[in-house]
Amino acid sequence: AYASSLVSQTGAAYPHLLLNESLFYAMLSEVSAVPTTFFIDEKGVVLDTVVGARDKDSWKEMIDELLEE
């Protein structure tokens, strides 16, 4: 309930994953810091992983570069 409330409050209009054991072992067992952001394409391929926070302009630049590829 908390996760859906947070998504509603922030207006975050992108897919959200809730952690389960399979997801943890597939992707998150190597995560060493929070936040860690994964950019994943429509086929489920991890395009990039970013550790730590960034400002809005940095996120925009990263996202624009990934969309160009």
Side-chain angles (χ1 to χ4, degrees), residues 3 5-7 19 21 29 32 39 43 54 56 60 64:
S5 173
L6 184 60
V7 170
L19 183 62
E21 190 173 343
S29 61
S32 61
F39 291 97
K43 295 177 184 168
R54 302 289 189 274
K56 182 178 178 178
K60 182 177 180 340
D64 287 344

Side-chain angles (χ1 to χ4, degrees), residues 10 12-16 18 21 24 29 34 44 46 48 51 53 55 63 66:
T10 62
Y14 47 81
H16 293 76
L18 294 177
E21 190 173 343
F24 174 80
S29 61
V34 174
V46 177
D48 197 6
V51 177
D55 63 22
I63 292 167
L66 287 168

